[in-house]
Amino acid sequence: MSEVAMQAAMDAGITGRLRHARAALVVSFLLQGATFALLVTCIPEIQHRYGLSDALLPIFLAAVPILAGVGSISSEWVVRRTTARGVLRVVQPAVCLTLALAGLGDRLWELALALGLFGLLVGALDASMNMLGVGLQHRYGRSIMLGFHAAFSLGAIAGAALAGLGAHYHLGLPALFGGAAAVLIPAALVAGRWFAGRAELGDAVREAAEAAARSIPWRPLLPLCAAMAFAYIADASVSNYSVKYLTDGLGSREDLAKLSYLGYMVAMLLGRAVGDRAVQRLGAVPVVRGGAALAAAGFAVAAAAPGAWAGILGFTLLGLGICAIIPQVFAAGGRLFPADSDAAVARLNLFNYAGFLIGSPLVGAIADASSYRWALLAPMLMILAIVPLGAHFGSGQPLKGREELRAAEGAGL
């Protein structure tokens, strides 16, 4: 075989492995979406099973993103000594196992242990999944990350639907979570066989990590950081309290209440499917401002809802409005620093955890002091604050090279 033919055969083999690795990571995101949705849509059942009071609930919910941040940072240290594939192959089945543990206990310390492990492991899972995604994107030479996050949305829709069926047929948490874990764990183990490693990625993960570690000025990113935090405060409010609001605040049946999160995720998925086209036709600024206004209207509809279906409509409108904001935050950061987009994305992603950390205790504390209707107004005001920040989502003036970077830093930016 000639050298040219041999190289062509090698390239074809690598391309095939990349396709398998990409499909495996899609499955990983899908499984994580299902696991997360099952947990958050069953918060009322978890409260009832463990006797968790409304006053303690925000503390338990706030502990998860804190530990997720610890897990994410720790995973970066572990990945440097092993591989992102190795970390993901271990932590994803373990996350599914913690889901089962959350449904099997009946004492508060058992719930604290299960949620603590879930938080630590899900942070490592999130970091390693996205590391592999960035590495694959570098090898593909084009944007493929949106497809991974769309898979997460699909998984979340499936998880929320399964939780609704579980509530309708009164399965109970041991059967629901244990049965789901019995399917999710083998699926994660099978997908793990095909995750991308050094043969597929080469130095792509290391190069992305080095790019993310570069020093860039904070000040140009601060409006986008605020928008990211506000968006995730809204998202955390829906994830943690939409079902509980319908059951406790509107007197809904538990199976019907699950549709609040399901509608939110379906709207988000559909919105993201057409969001890129809307941005291309209208521009990022009007799409972000219009989305923020629609999301705020969704909160208002949900807060004023006379019954369950009106509440579901409100959360569905919210998903449609918020769907484009988070991707456009990342896109705007990349436009500001085209030479260091990975570094910008890494900094902006920190405010994902900040939003979740603030959102859960904030809504829970207001609800405990007054009602869930009043509590929903807090994230509504924050999502409205994105409207005046919309100007920062435009093309702007990119800071491209080291010369501009040093000038910005010298100016105190």
Side-chain angles (χ1 to χ4, degrees), residues 6 18 22-23 56 63-64 72 87 102 130 152 168 171 209 307 322 324 330 342 356 374 401:
M6 186 178 297
L18 282 174
R22 181 181 179 184
L56 280 177
V64 174
S72 179
V87 172
N130 282 287
F152 179 92
H168 182 74
L171 289 182
I322 206 173
F330 288 125
D342 291 318
F356 268 100
W374 286 107

Side-chain angles (χ1 to χ4, degrees), residues 29 41 48 62 72 78 147 149 162 175 206 270 281 286 330 334 344 369 400:
F29 273 86
T41 54
H48 178 73
S72 179
V78 176
H149 289 274
L162 181 60
R206 178 185 57 78
L270 293 177
R281 291 191 62 181
F330 288 125
K400 293 183 179 179

Side-chain angles (χ1 to χ4, degrees), residues 41-42 44-45 160-171 243 246-247 251-262 308-309 312:
T41 54
C42 290
E45 291 93 330
L162 181 60
L165 289 173
H168 182 74
Y169 291 105
H170 308 288
L171 289 182
V243 175
L246 261 69
T247 55
S252 168
R253 303 191 319 268
E254 288 185 349
D255 56 348
L256 181 61
K258 311 295 185 190
L259 294 180
S260 60
Y261 187 71
L262 180 63
W309 285 108
I312 293 167

